[in-house]
Amino acid sequence: MSSGVNETLIRDVVTEVLSRLGQAGKTGAAPTGATCAATPATSTPARSAVARGKFGVFQDAAEACEAAHAAYQQLSEKGVAGRLKVIEIVKALCETHAVEWGRIELEETKIGRLDHKIEKLKAQRGIPTIEFLHPYGLSGDHGITLEEYAPFGVIGAVTPSTHSIPTMACNIISMVAAGNAVVFNAHPSAYRCAVMAAKVFNQAIARELGIENLACILEPPTLESFAALGKHEQVKLLCVTGGPGVVKAAMASGKRAVCAGPGNPPVLVDGTSCLTNAAKCVIFGGAYDNNLLCIGEKEVFVLDSVADRFMAALEQNGACRLNAGQLERLTRAAFVFPPGQGAGCPHPVVNRDLVGRDPAVLAKEAGATIPPGTQLLFAETAADHLFVEEEQMMPFVPVVRVKSVEEGIALSKKAEHGYKHSAMIHSHDVGHMTAMAKALETTLFVKNGSCLAGLGSGGEGYANFSIATTTGEGICNARTFTRVRRCVMVDKLRIF
Ligand code: NAD
């Protein structure tokens, strides 16, 4: 495969430029750069519609899968050096466009915070690549055996509304590091920004490596397009990041699936911990991107003997307490009965209109006045409160008093619903830490830090936006997207 001039690419570029000029003529806007990684297309989501199959954007799932398969074969010919070039392109584009793309994603989804959307794009730099692919070797009297981490081929991936471009980017990095191509079905309320970024990635990859359609995306994404991905013969693996619905659908597809599912992470604060640090950590993690992170602190259980001091520390460090009346008003706004299901629904569900909204919006619903810049709201609640039981994804945490560490662990386990996702403890007692870790069996268990320490921000470790909780692969990396192949040489090749 030549990496020089590519006729198809030139034709596509000309078509794209002409279409942009046409649009600019209509809107009065200046045409933007169309082809170069250094000056990539910076179109707004509304301008993302492109001709069928151009720069990785497809309306038809089968066409996307075939195109991705061709790209996978081209990538194999480029070797590991080719994979690393693609990864560098994706990382560099995320860095360069962090502010612009963060804003575009926020404008489309209207959830979360711009500063954290920007950080999540910049964090792509730290996503690990081929270092997880060291082969395993055996050498003995009967010769030499090598086990290698080989690609699957084409992966079908689903991304959430909460981190659309960041999840897509880190999926591309991990999947391409392992030698795969990918077709994305993004969240319907966050797909325009993903299509825009995918186009820019594919343009740069085609320009630099001559490979088209390595990271395809479906426009628009639908349940039907996901079903088509799940059935297509070229798709060898699914990777879904989202709530219970998509995890169930992926597992029912008949394909092997890596499922990064829902969570409802509890925090336990016992009497031995530093309460100021605990409060600061809860504020940092619970407020991050307005609590959209699946690993984010969602409810706190605190030992009764230190509860007042802990809540005072929350207030001293910038969180605002709601009183009982304000909590009642916020609860009525934050949980609703689905339309038409009032009496038939066992209990209200999270009101999507308040997910990921700023604390000021929640405070208004609660009838509370809060200082500008408040990061997090909290209130004391009972253990069976809706805010404790539901994964609410709002910058509000319920705080529940417990009489003993044992009770705190039991209630944390109940609130976590067996998702085996994430949990935090603030304690200096190794016995308490061990007991909670054993009881909850979560994929991430953070001691004396915020949830983000579990992804390397403030703790040791690397980041990823897909944490395969349900299917057990853990924090995804390149090895997650490989199959192990063994090569055996009988009796020979040993050098001693
Ligand atoms: P969501 O479940 O509404 O959507 C996730 C994706 O699944 C979207 O692309 C959506 O279109 C698709 N989807 C939903 N139901 C489907 C079905 N039946 N068939 C096919 N596709 C379907 O989730 P969201 O609101 O976008 O994201 C928040 C959820 O994702 C939370 O539960 C959060 O904990 C979870 N999440 C988990 C991780 C992780 O790494 N474990 C990371 C981010 C988000």
Side-chain angles (χ1 to χ4, degrees):
M1 178 75 205
S2 156
S3 61
V5 176
N6 175 325
E7 272 187 42
T8 316
L9 179 61
I10 290 175
R11 210 171 28 247
D12 289 348
V13 167
V14 171
T15 311
E16 175 78 353
V17 169
L18 287 175
S19 108
R20 279 167 184 278
L21 284 170
Q23 290 211 20
K26 278 181 219 146
T27 60
T32 54
T35 62
C36 176
T39 53
T42 54
S43 55
T44 58
R47 293 173 63 190
S48 67
V50 291
R52 197 172 67 169
K54 293 296 182 291
F55 303 121
V57 183
F58 287 82
Q59 281 76 49
D60 182 79
E63 283 180 20
C65 293
E66 292 301 341
H69 182 66
Y72 157 65
Q73 288 174 319
Q74 289 174 302
L75 182 68
S76 322
E77 289 167 26
K78 302 278 182 195
V80 174
R83 300 182 197 180
L84 289 172
K85 261 193 192 166
V86 172
I87 290 163
E88 182 49 35
I89 287 169
V90 172
K91 289 188 173 187
L93 284 168
C94 286
E95 250 171 358
T96 308
H97 295 286
V99 176
E100 178 197 356
W101 290 0
R103 187 164 286 138
I104 288 173
E105 181 160 338
L106 184 57
E107 274 169 18
E108 182 179 2
T109 62
K110 309 210 168 18
I111 57 174
R113 285 172 44 168
L114 181 59
D115 52 346
H116 296 146
K117 300 238 174 288
I118 294 167
E119 268 181 26
K120 292 193 293 185
L121 285 161
K122 290 189 173 167
Q124 302 300 323
R125 182 49 74 192
I127 304 293
T129 66
I130 58 169
E131 59 270 38
F132 276 89
L133 304 180
H134 292 304
Y136 172 64
L138 287 169
S139 172
D141 292 345
H142 295 297
I144 284 193
T145 287
L146 193 65
E147 284 188 351
E148 292 194 273
Y149 295 106
F152 275 93
V154 178
I155 299 174
V158 172
T159 48
S161 60
T162 46
H163 340 282
S164 187
I165 306 177
T167 307
M168 181 176 74
C170 79
N171 278 178
I172 296 173
I173 291 165
S174 303
M175 291 167 184
V176 169
N180 303 286
V182 51
V183 180
F184 287 99
N185 207 53
H187 194 285
S189 68
Y191 81 90
R192 292 183 175 85
C193 59
V195 165
M196 180 272 311
K199 263 175 77 183
V200 177
F201 292 146
N202 282 298
Q203 282 175 336
I205 294 166
R207 188 175 63 85
E208 298 286 326
L209 287 99
I211 303 176
E212 294 177 49
N213 305 314
L214 190 61
C216 298
I217 187 162
L218 300 171
E219 183 188 47
T222 58
L223 290 181
E224 290 71 32
S225 60
F226 170 77
L229 266 188
K231 284 199 195 89
H232 199 277
E233 61 165 347
Q234 293 299 2
V235 174
K236 307 298 182 199
L237 178 70
L238 291 174
C239 173
V240 302
T241 306
V246 70
V247 167
K248 206 170 156 198
M251 291 179 109
S253 70
K255 302 265 187 207
R256 201 193 136 193
V258 172
C259 297
N264 192 33
V267 184
L268 178 59
V269 181
D270 78 5
T272 67
S273 58
C274 169
L275 296 176
T276 303
N277 182 56
K280 283 182 178 172
C281 290
V282 167
I283 293 171
F284 184 57
Y288 197 89
D289 212 13
N290 284 341
N291 212 347
L292 287 183
L293 294 181
C294 57
I295 59 170
E297 284 82 351
K298 296 290 189 294
E299 62 277 336
V300 181
F301 299 97
V302 56
L303 214 58
D304 194 23
S305 55
V306 296
D308 289 333
R309 279 194 290 135
F310 170 70
M311 286 187 265
L314 281 175
E315 286 182 298
Q316 281 152 17
N317 287 283
C320 273
R321 187 197 299 241
L322 301 184
N323 63 31
Q326 291 162 342
L327 171 67
E328 169 72 27
R329 283 185 62 169
L330 179 61
T331 308
R332 263 189 272 121
F335 297 94
V336 292
F337 284 102
Q341 281 190 38
C345 192
H347 61 76
V349 297
V350 172
N351 178 1
R352 301 290 292 199
D353 290 346
L354 288 188
V355 164
R357 304 300 299 276
D358 291 339
V361 175
L362 302 189
K364 196 167 170 214
E365 294 290 348
T369 309
I370 58 169
T374 298
Q375 310 242 330
L376 187 72
L377 308 179
F378 74 95
E380 210 178 315
T381 73
D384 60 354
H385 196 277
L386 278 170
F387 267 115
V388 175
E389 291 185 342
E390 298 293 318
E391 187 194 21
Q392 88 275 12
M393 294 187 287
M394 297 172 199
F396 168 88
V397 289
V399 179
V400 181
R401 287 175 196 262
V402 293
K403 290 192 177 55
S404 65
V405 167
E406 291 71 28
E407 187 193 15
I409 292 174
L411 290 175
S412 296
K413 186 174 167 66
K414 186 164 178 272
E416 216 274 323
H417 302 301
Y419 290 139
K420 299 189 178 175
H421 199 299
S422 302
M424 275 61 70
I425 188 168
H426 290 273
S427 171
H428 288 159
D429 185 312
V430 175
H432 296 168
M433 297 175 188
T434 310
M436 186 167 174
K438 282 191 177 177
L440 270 73
E441 298 180 82
T442 49
T443 305
L444 275 182
F445 185 56
V446 179
K447 299 147 197 154
N448 302 320
S450 85
C451 66
L452 283 127
L455 294 183
S457 179
E460 291 301 322
Y462 61 89
N464 201 281
F465 288 88
S466 294
I467 302 159
T469 46
T470 319
T471 44
E473 292 82 358
I475 293 114
C476 288
N477 59 54
R479 201 190 302 157
T480 312
F481 304 108
T482 60
R483 46 193 285 260
V484 179
R485 296 177 61 190
R486 178 181 284 194
C487 196
V488 179
M489 178 72 190
V490 178
D491 288 342
K492 296 281 189 281
L493 273 189
R494 224 178 161 213
I495 56 174
F496 62 97

